[in-house]
Amino acid sequence: MGSKNKLKRFLENETFKNVIQPKRQDLENGTVVLKGNWANHFKNDNPIVLELGCGKGEYTVGLAKRNPNKNFIGIDIKGARFWRGAKTALEDELTNVAFLRTQIELVDTLFAENEVSEIWITFPDPQIKYKRTKHRMTNQNFLNKYKQILKPKGLMHLKTDSEFMHGYTLGLLHGLGLEVLYANHDIYKNEGSPKEVLEIQTFYENQYLEKGKPITYIQFRVH
């Protein structure tokens, strides 16, 4: 994507009522208070579902269309990517969609205890090198952050093309004694995955499928 195109999307994001772009400093010092106030943003008390590292926002928008009685928030630091999802949501008049431009590690400053019902992690960077372990979105530190904001029995979903990420996460969940509800190492070959796991495909997922890579999925709880 060219720099001019990126700039155009950044500027357009600033005009979108469904895009929120807080500054990290404001979140850390508490001058922007989103935490605990998402019902006010959506003007209802419907369950909140997050897509972390939402990319172009395909899951955020796809799930919102299927579940009008839930609110969906896509989170990513790359605003030029989720511009597409935000624009589509506005074009389709989806009032249960928001996009939040921020770092994933700040998620516990953005949501209060028990404020989130469900979290999707779709095709994250597996951060395979050992020194990058702290950046894996299912490491123990991140799982503890998710536990802080999720309701008891709240669902977690990991969908990835990375067999490494799939195996790492399963091993960690079992080691921590957390509940794995379902795991599939090749969702399009082995039956049993939820419909939304099969029916909603991201831009990157389609690229992986063209290369013949298996897509994996885990549904689990951190409480």
Side-chain angles (χ1 to χ4, degrees):
M1 186 189 304
S3 57
K4 286 186 178 180
N5 205 9
K6 275 189 177 181
L7 179 59
K8 181 181 177 182
R9 292 184 176 188
F10 283 137
L11 292 172
E12 199 166 358
N13 277 345
E14 292 179 4
T15 70
F16 289 166
K17 62 183 179 181
N18 61 356
V19 171
I20 302 165
Q21 304 187 84
K23 293 180 180 177
R24 183 181 185 120
Q25 182 180 354
D26 292 338
L27 289 171
E28 290 177 337
N29 64 27
T31 55
V32 173
V33 185
L34 298 169
K35 188 174 184 176
N37 291 308
W38 287 99
N40 292 335
H41 173 82
F42 287 107
K43 298 180 174 55
N44 61 59
D45 292 316
N46 291 342
I48 292 174
V49 182
L50 309 183
E51 183 191 3
L52 304 181
C54 66
K56 295 177 182 290
E58 296 99 332
Y59 254 87
T60 301
V61 173
L63 290 169
K65 288 180 178 179
R66 288 164 171 76
N67 301 277
N69 294 321
K70 294 181 181 180
N71 298 319
F72 294 85
I73 303 172
I75 303 178
D76 207 301
I77 193 60
K78 296 184 177 178
R81 282 188 184 171
F82 70 58
W83 164 87
R84 179 63 269 171
K87 191 173 181 69
T88 297
L90 290 173
E91 290 170 347
D92 293 348
E93 299 182 348
L94 297 173
T95 59
N96 61 332
V97 175
F99 286 90
L100 184 55
R101 184 172 183 260
T102 191
Q103 292 89 350
I104 304 300
E105 63 264 26
L106 296 176
V107 70
D108 54 337
T109 71
L110 293 158
F111 300 92
E113 184 179 358
N114 299 332
E115 193 170 18
V116 175
S117 295
E118 209 167 327
I119 294 175
W120 285 80
I121 303 173
T122 52
F123 301 94
D125 186 331
Q127 308 287 0
I128 291 175
K129 292 182 179 179
Y130 179 76
K131 65 181 181 180
R132 301 290 296 175
T133 302
K134 65 181 181 180
H135 297 290
R136 288 179 202 149
M137 287 174 59
T138 57
N139 70 29
Q140 189 170 355
N141 183 47
F142 274 114
L143 293 179
N144 288 336
K145 289 178 182 284
Y146 306 150
K147 183 177 180 179
Q148 286 181 45
I149 64 174
L150 274 168
K151 296 180 183 295
K153 300 294 184 181
L155 289 179
M156 292 280 312
H157 308 264
L158 172 66
K159 187 177 182 183
T160 175
D161 67 302
S162 171
E163 294 179 40
F164 168 82
M165 189 70 169
H166 182 79
Y168 165 81
T169 303
L170 273 180
L172 184 60
L173 295 173
H174 287 310
L176 294 172
L178 297 175
E179 185 179 7
V180 176
L181 299 169
Y182 179 78
N184 192 330
H185 67 275
D186 192 340
I187 62 173
Y188 296 108
K189 185 176 180 181
N190 304 315
E191 296 181 357
S193 294
K195 286 177 64 177
E196 62 266 30
V197 175
L198 300 170
E199 292 177 356
I200 304 173
Q201 295 182 350
T202 73
F203 171 81
Y204 299 106
E205 181 175 357
N206 285 318
Q207 288 187 332
Y208 302 141
L209 289 171
E210 287 177 6
K211 296 176 182 177
K213 297 186 73 174
I215 306 299
T216 72
Y217 170 71
I218 309 171
Q219 184 183 110
F220 60 99
R221 293 192 176 110
V222 290
H223 282 279

